Amino acid sequence: MSTPSLPTPESSARLREALIAASFTADGLLDLLGAPAYAALARSETVPALRATRGDTPLETLVRLFLLQQPVPAALAGVALPLEQCLADGWLVREAGGAQDCVQDGVQATVDVRPYGGDEGQDWFIVSDLGRAVGGAGGAGTRDEAVVLGVGGASTTLAGITVRTPVSSALDLGTGSGIQALHAAQHATRVTATDLNPRALHFTRLTLALSGAPGADLREGSLYDPVGDDTYDLIVSNPPFVISPGARLTYRDGGMGGDDLCRTLVSQAGERLNEGGYAQFLANWQHVEGEDWQERLRSWVPRGCDAWIVQRDVQDITQYAELWLRDGGDHRTDPAQYAARYEAWLDEFEARKTKSVGFGWIALRKSGAEFPSVTIEEWPHPVEQPLGPVVRAHFERQDYLRTHDDAALLADHFKLADEVVQEQIGLPGAEDPEYVVLRQNRGMRRATKVDTVGAGFAGVSDGSLSAGRILDAIGQLLGEDPVLLRDRTPDAIRLLVEQGFLEPLGSTLGPLGQVGHRR
């Protein structure tokens, strides 16, 4: 595979200007293709986009060139781009057999350049290998060991859950095409990006340069080896987490047995984090016979770190093997070879007593607490991205709960978080509901059942009265002993605070991570 020469900053700026001038942006693509074709392109289905780009406008030319990997006449490319510069820098090559000076000859892209919208509407461009921007229904479909993928669902998931606060230093471990480093460059003074694959570091340079972002400190190597004893305020990684028999594909296979790569990545993060720093990962983990999967993950959490681990999906071993066999294009090989590879996956799982594989997010925050908070849960339900503010608020709530005993809790004031609604569930015409549900319409979109006291407490929590005074009023209304009510209710209040239904106004917390103030 050939890669383009690294453009100079001046030439990258000129190419970027040409792409934006032609509306080769995320918004421009949506306007040109329409929502169905745009969504199909994200699934690596190109036919709708080909039908929508039959004209000769600069935008249609760029879509065919960089996204659909179609040759275009040099004359059309010259209208859309600084042609000679793109040829000299290696972004484009002339079709084989074409005369060097004939403007009617075709040119082709050497890389995939994909428009990508930044957190604040910036026009960014992710550079990756041809045809590898997303896996789509058929997977990446490659057996090229050093291939560099572009934007996919995992990339955008990690970008969305990452805490975005100004920091001095950030580490993107296993940078790939550089999307996480690009995000980090917007709020970190210094960004370090590492990868075992030197091609990935080259693509990260291209992504940052073409997106107009500051450069990063790029280092080659595995796991934390390239950074030595350096520490960071933020660590992010979408690692090669696939649990596979061997390390055939650098971009996905970790090369360690079972889920050891993810375990190592997480367990060694604590010593690389500054106090108060965050580490956020995507990971796979084994569900092993006779072992509780939550306890397995609890053992990964480094000393002195709070953790929030969310399992988003679980696949049995046959589903898992089939998914990644398709991803590598093995389903298009000789049936006997496919069967042999399938057998190898099942042999690996059988040897490790693995019955299924979980996928999800792991977020750490170095709190230095004597008794760290470790929350491990299964949440396969839809969520609303970005979740970075929700992750930050989760850990801030742990600080609050850790420093407030029951007496302090009852003395504090609370407010029902924004976007929380109360639903009464019961038979039609019944005088009283069977139960009451509090439901979040934002963030994690949690729902929780509450009893009469909990529903009453949440309903009147507007910050004007302390928790204790509210319970006294509820006790009087229900004819319950207020002392007993004060004794048994704090645990329920803690749960509602922990899950983000109630905002403690005595802290800096606001609804779902926004700033709140005591009234």
Side-chain angles (χ1 to χ4, degrees), residues 493-513:
I493 296 175
R494 287 182 182 279
L495 181 62
L496 292 177
V497 171
E498 182 177 5
Q499 295 186 344
F501 289 96
L502 287 177
E503 169 198 348
L505 297 183
S507 74
T508 58
L509 283 176
L512 295 180

Side-chain angles (χ1 to χ4, degrees), residues 2-87:
S2 63
T3 60
S5 301
L6 181 64
T8 64
E10 293 79 14
S11 63
S12 294
R14 188 179 172 197
L15 176 56
R16 172 178 169 80
E17 289 173 1
L19 297 177
I20 292 176
S23 295
F24 189 64
T25 63
D27 289 340
L29 285 183
L30 182 59
D31 290 341
L32 172 68
L33 302 179
Y38 186 86
L41 188 60
R43 300 191 300 270
S44 290
E45 297 292 348
T46 59
V47 173
L50 283 167
R51 291 171 61 86
T53 56
R54 291 171 173 170
D56 57 5
T57 67
L59 178 54
E60 289 169 298
T61 297
L62 293 174
V63 172
R64 290 199 302 273
L65 193 62
F66 286 119
L67 299 185
L68 304 178
Q69 282 87 59
Q70 300 290 311
V72 302
L76 290 180
V79 173
L81 296 167
L83 180 60
E84 294 306 320
Q85 172 214 309
C86 289
L87 289 166

